[in-house]
Amino acid sequence: MKHTLLVAAITVAPFAANAAKTISSGSYGHTQEQGKIAAISALERQANGNPLSNVRTSCRSTNYPLPWYCTATAQVATLSFGSDSYEMCGRSHSKSDTDARFEAAIGRKFCDSNKQSTYRSNFAVNESSFAGSACDYTSPKGRLFNSIWLLDNADKSGDNSILGWAYHESQKDVHNTHSICDESVFARFKWKKKFYSWEWVKRSEMSISRPALYDQDVIGRAATLVHEARHMDKSHGSAGGACSGSSCDPNWSYNGSNTYEALWLWWFAVNANDATPAMRASAEQQANYTINRRFVTPPSYHADKDAEIINKSTASGLSRPIEPSNTVTFTAAGGVESTVRSQATSGFVNKYGKQPTKVECRHNPHNMGPPPWICVATGPK
């Protein structure tokens, strides 16, 4: 029997700046657990990305329209910085815009002078190019620093995933970050060789546009930084605009910017530190958009925020893509771990004639998206 889940949220007054407010919502569910989940989800929508604290739920059985009615209450704090809106490239943006989702939740965490100094130095931020204050998430500068903070702090230590190394890998490849007024792109990356200390070295420039700062949420913006920095080693090559829009890579194993971007978003959805369910859902949606539309030959699997990661220290289905100049990988997927592991190993040997140095597997308990097991064999080229 199929049951319908009804959600009815109670409207509350706008929150006062810098004040904790109690909000509540009520929802119907066929089961008590469904009712609780729906009620908390309604709270998160009201909070618009701000974290909830002191969440309490209570339920009672009803005969109509569904057996259980649950209510949820929680505290949420909102922040207000600077002006009500900021102008960039001739357009005005309010901090209450729908695209500002999650901005305040991240904004309260990163506003630390030591952190700002580190981010300013590591990403070589041309501050005169970004209006506003690093502590004002309404401003262009605040939006940029918000995304850098998230890149630096998304990791839950111990999973050895891209969340743990993306910040370091990205900042070391960026030598100048400034803003541009170009509505056609989120960001651009270019590099050229310069002669330093008797050797030629690459020096890069990352340009961040108005759409990147105001038409993406902070999660997508952090993934854009990962995407652009990867261009230090990988261009989109001949793929160009061969898939939907521009910014296309030939395939997943190319290990280009889109693979890095999707991996970071996927891992954020699965295991990010201190992320709300709404944030995880946004990351999952954006990862799947990249997977579906940014490869000439899209991979056969999709990001799933509810995936279970087995053996977190070595999980590779979502871990760091290996630099192709030094090593190669072969990926196999299927329903039984031993079979898939064997396929990955034999595929590597057949293709490259060498034994893999390791074979790592990731488990997904759901049928949607990738099959239950995906294994990656890695070894010398």
Side-chain angles (χ1 to χ4, degrees):
M1 184 180 222
K2 191 173 182 180
H3 298 281
T4 303
L5 183 66
L6 303 179
V7 179
I10 298 173
T11 303
V12 297
F15 309 142
N18 303 308
K21 292 291 184 179
T22 299
I23 59 175
S24 63
S25 68
S27 302
Y28 287 101
H30 175 64
T31 66
Q32 184 173 350
E33 188 63 23
Q34 284 179 341
K36 286 183 178 180
I37 292 173
I40 293 173
S41 295
L43 285 182
E44 289 185 333
R45 286 194 296 273
Q46 290 183 33
N48 193 31
N50 289 334
L52 303 174
S53 61
N54 301 320
V55 180
R56 290 181 171 82
T57 58
S58 62
C59 300
R60 58 183 173 84
S61 180
T62 61
N63 294 322
Y64 180 85
L66 290 172
W68 288 95
Y69 178 77
C70 297
T71 58
T73 60
Q75 284 188 317
V76 61
T78 60
L79 297 179
S80 177
F81 294 115
S83 60
D84 289 333
S85 64
Y86 236 101
E87 184 174 293
M88 181 177 181
C89 299
R91 290 180 58 176
S92 181
H93 298 272
S94 169
K95 60 175 168 283
S96 61
D97 286 349
T98 55
D99 291 323
R101 195 179 186 207
F102 313 136
E103 217 72 47
I106 302 302
R108 80 166 51 85
K109 299 172 185 175
F110 85 93
C111 192
D112 175 280
S113 58
N114 292 327
K115 284 284 188 181
Q116 291 166 29
S117 177
T118 299
Y119 298 156
R120 185 182 301 117
S121 173
N122 285 353
F123 279 82
V125 179
N126 182 345
E127 291 204 67
S128 63
S129 176
F130 295 91
S133 163
C135 286
D136 180 355
Y137 69 82
T138 312
S139 73
K141 188 181 296 183
R143 295 288 173 98
L144 174 67
F145 277 77
N146 246 4
S147 52
I148 296 175
W149 187 97
L150 190 62
L151 199 60
D152 184 28
N153 292 275
D155 180 41
K156 274 185 177 177
S157 60
D159 64 19
N160 195 33
S161 74
I162 189 171
L163 296 182
W165 56 261
Y167 172 84
H168 173 74
E169 291 295 310
S170 297
Q171 62 88 17
K172 75 179 181 61
D173 287 333
V174 178
H175 306 114
N176 186 330
T177 303
H178 63 268
S179 69
I180 55 172
C181 289
D182 188 335
E183 297 293 307
S184 66
V185 296
F186 279 151
R188 284 200 183 98
F189 190 94
K190 62 182 180 180
W191 62 266
K192 58 184 177 181
K193 285 187 176 181
K194 291 189 175 182
F195 197 67
Y196 286 99
S197 301
W198 302 102
E199 64 177 340
W200 288 95
V201 297
K202 286 182 178 180
R203 303 300 292 174
S204 69
E205 182 179 283
M206 183 164 64
S207 306
I208 307 296
S209 72
R210 185 208 62 79
L213 296 174
Y214 285 101
D215 294 347
Q216 284 184 303
D217 65 25
V218 64
I219 301 164
R221 196 180 317 127
T224 294
L225 299 181
V226 176
H227 175 116
E228 296 303 325
R230 177 59 177 156
H231 281 315
M232 184 64 134
D233 297 309
K234 282 274 189 174
S235 68
H236 289 302
S238 59
C243 54
S244 175
S246 59
S247 187
C248 301
D249 289 331
N251 50 53
W252 183 269
S253 60
Y254 178 71
N255 280 337
S257 289
N258 289 311
T259 300
Y260 273 46
E261 176 184 339
L263 283 173
W264 190 88
L265 288 165
W266 192 346
W267 266 105
F268 188 96
V270 171
N271 210 37
N273 184 44
D274 197 25
T276 68
M279 289 177 175
R280 297 184 195 279
S282 177
E284 177 190 65
Q285 181 181 25
Q286 293 180 72
N288 283 325
Y289 182 91
T290 298
I291 289 170
N292 290 332
R293 303 197 179 202
R294 292 294 180 253
F295 296 93
V296 177
T297 304
S300 59
Y301 41 83
H302 294 87
D304 178 2
K305 64 182 173 60
D306 298 315
E308 178 184 359
I309 303 168
I310 303 300
N311 193 7
K312 292 181 180 178
S313 63
T314 59
S316 180
L318 291 173
S319 69
R320 178 176 182 174
I322 305 300
E323 290 291 338
S325 60
N326 302 320
T327 58
V328 290
T329 63
F330 184 84
T331 303
V336 180
E337 181 190 9
S338 59
T339 302
V340 178
R341 185 179 289 270
S342 175
Q343 289 171 344
T345 303
S346 61
F348 184 100
V349 172
N350 290 342
K351 189 171 183 180
Y352 303 107
K354 296 182 180 180
Q355 291 290 332
T357 55
K358 61 182 177 180
V359 182
E360 302 170 336
C361 298
R362 172 185 176 273
H363 177 250
N364 182 349
H366 299 274
N367 291 326
M368 54 188 283
W373 287 96
I374 180 167
C375 295
V376 179
T378 303
K381 194 168 183 178

